[in-house]
Each structure stands twice: as structure tokens, then as C-alpha cells.
Amino acid sequence: DSGVTQTPKHLITATGQRVTLRCSPRSGDLSVYWYQQSLDQGLQFLIQYYNGEERAKGNILERFSAQQFPDLHSELNLSSLELGDSALYFCASSVGRGQETQYFGPGTRLLVL
Amino acid sequence: AQRVTQPEKLLSVFKGAPVELKCNYSYSGSPELFWYVQYSRQRLQLLLRHISRESIKGFTADLNKGETSFHLKKPFAQEEDSAMYYCACLRAGGTSYGKLTFGQGTILTVHP
């Protein structure tokens, strides 16, 4: 499967903890995007990286951070977790800087207890 | 700020009936509009992008700049069309931001 991959699929953790979500983009794609999907907020854009550099920022909390590595995979770090951080976190990728179609990964379901 | 509104949370139709999922956007520039579909327990998949003018799985969508709408239509719904549908807006041009703004989604159920 040469599509976007995300690990882990599921994550259960406790409040106050820190987790790392990982995303590998489609082969050849340089941009990676992170979205949060929750029942009350819907699908919200968090952040975009293009070829290792932050390109656009959305409603991302200060407790959250992301980076894109030289091999173009990306990690989203969530710290000091709260119950309200429970959500589905999607990664997407696209070939260029942001005007192209974004292809989504299967998501990581995070449950904070 | 960009905003995408999908007024219907739930939409039910019978197989073979026409279906229209509504989407209105609020954006002052020239946006690009998309429809994504999410089948049960699957990832979001692109259904349509307005600039491509393609018809995917029988669905079409026309961008109406006057009404700022991008409604999704299919003349004859099939049971396999049952899914969550998201309308999304991307700012076009300028500094090429990649932020997709999504509507709240519409759950379409097609009954046999």
C-alpha cells in the first residue's frame, strides 16, 4: 500500500501523559497535514509541513507540536493530555505546497482516560 | 475566515431516489471546493474536486459562486452510497496555504 500510513491505530492513555503519533506520506508527496476529528468540533486543521518546514498553522494547541523529518515522515506530539483531546487524528499528504488534492491516512484514535 | 456549512446532519433516501447534499461556503477569494466521503470505519477519500469537473460514482457537484454553494448530487442513490460526506474548502492562490476547512458532515443513509 503506497498510501498514507499512520501508527498506531489506537492509543489509550491517561490525563497528563504525552503521546506521539506517526505519519508516513504517500511516495513522492512533500506536504503532510494533521487534522483532528472530534464529535463537537468536527474535522479541524492543525498544521501543515512542506519538505521539512512548517507551512501553515491552524487551531493547534500549544501543548501539541509536530515536525517533519528528512525522510518526510511526520510526528505529532501531544503532551499534558486532557480528556478533551480524545479524538481521531488524521494525517494527509499532497505532492506540493498545498493547492493539490490531499490524501488521507486511516487515522489514529486517541482515548484519554 | 473561511467557513463551510452543511445544513443537514442526516439525510435519508430510498434506493433509486435522487439525492442532494447541500454545502455553502463563506470565503471572499476564489476558493477550491472538494467533496470527501468517509465510509464506515474507513479513511476519508476524495470524491470530487470542482476544478476537475469529473463525475465520480455518479456524483456531480456544481460550483455556484453567486449562491456560494457546492451541492453534491446523484440522480439515483445506491445502498453503497451510505456514508459520511464532507464538503471542504481550500484557499486558492496567494501564498498557497494548504488548510482545508471542512463542513460538519452529512450522514447519508440509502434504504433498500
Side-chain angles (χ1 to χ4, degrees), chain A residues 26-66:
Chain A
R26 295 186 319 156
S27 177
D29 284 358
L30 297 178
S31 272
V32 169
Y33 311 78
W34 286 98
Y35 292 86
Q36 180 193 58
Q37 184 181 38
S38 61
L39 282 174
D40 53 344
Q41 297 290 324
L43 261 168
Q44 300 259 316
F45 169 79
L46 295 177
I47 198 162
Q48 176 199 359
Y49 277 82
Y50 171 75
N51 205 18
E53 293 191 6
E54 183 183 302
R55 180 119 183 109
K57 212 166 187 175
N59 301 323
I60 187 165
L61 299 171
E62 283 192 19
R63 300 183 285 109
F64 295 2
S65 64

Side-chain angles (χ1 to χ4, degrees), chain B residues 14-87:
Chain B
F14 285 100
K15 177 183 171 182
V19 61
E20 180 178 68
L21 291 89
K22 291 185 168 51
C23 171
N24 288 91
Y25 64 92
S26 170
Y27 178 58
S28 57
S30 296
E32 295 206 31
L33 278 299
F34 302 77
W35 276 99
Y36 279 86
V37 59
Q38 188 176 27
Y39 300 103
S40 179
R41 298 190 171 277
Q42 294 187 27
R43 68 184 71 194
L44 272 85
Q45 303 172 34
L46 177 70
L47 186 62
L48 278 179
R49 179 172 182 169
H50 91 271
I51 60 169
S52 66
R53 295 189 172 276
E54 292 178 31
S55 172
I56 308 296
K57 298 186 179 183
F59 284 97
T60 59
D62 289 318
L63 180 61
N64 186 325
K65 291 187 178 180
E67 295 181 359
T68 59
S69 68
F70 189 57
H71 303 327
L72 184 68
K73 299 176 186 178
K74 185 169 183 177
F76 308 104
Q78 303 298 316
E79 288 179 68
E80 54 266 30
D81 295 329
S82 296
M84 172 76 98
Y85 290 80
Y86 289 99
C87 182

Side-chain angles (χ1 to χ4, degrees), chain A:
Chain A
D1 183 2
S2 58
V4 179
T5 59
Q6 290 184 247
T7 56
K9 281 188 177 178
H10 303 278
L11 202 47
I12 302 175
T13 188
T15 54
Q17 295 298 305
R18 173 189 168 95
V19 296
T20 297
L21 313 184
R22 184 188 166 102
C23 167
S24 292
R26 295 186 319 156
S27 177
D29 284 358
L30 297 178
S31 272
V32 169
Y33 311 78
W34 286 98
Y35 292 86
Q36 180 193 58
Q37 184 181 38
S38 61
L39 282 174
D40 53 344
Q41 297 290 324
L43 261 168
Q44 300 259 316
F45 169 79
L46 295 177
I47 198 162
Q48 176 199 359
Y49 277 82
Y50 171 75
N51 205 18
E53 293 191 6
E54 183 183 302
R55 180 119 183 109
K57 212 166 187 175
N59 301 323
I60 187 165
L61 299 171
E62 283 192 19
R63 300 183 285 109
F64 295 2
S65 64
Q67 55 184 326
Q68 186 180 27
F69 295 86
D71 67 352
L72 300 176
H73 92 270
S74 177
E75 291 181 355
L76 179 67
N77 300 295
L78 315 177
S79 60
S80 303
L81 285 167
E82 302 175 0
L83 296 177
D85 298 327
S86 296
L88 194 52
Y89 291 85
F90 284 109
C91 170
S93 73
S94 73
V95 65
R97 288 180 172 82
Q99 293 305 301
E100 317 76 30
T101 298
Q102 295 179 23
Y103 295 90
F104 282 76
T108 293
R109 188 171 294 279
L110 173 66
L111 182 59
V112 183
L113 299 174

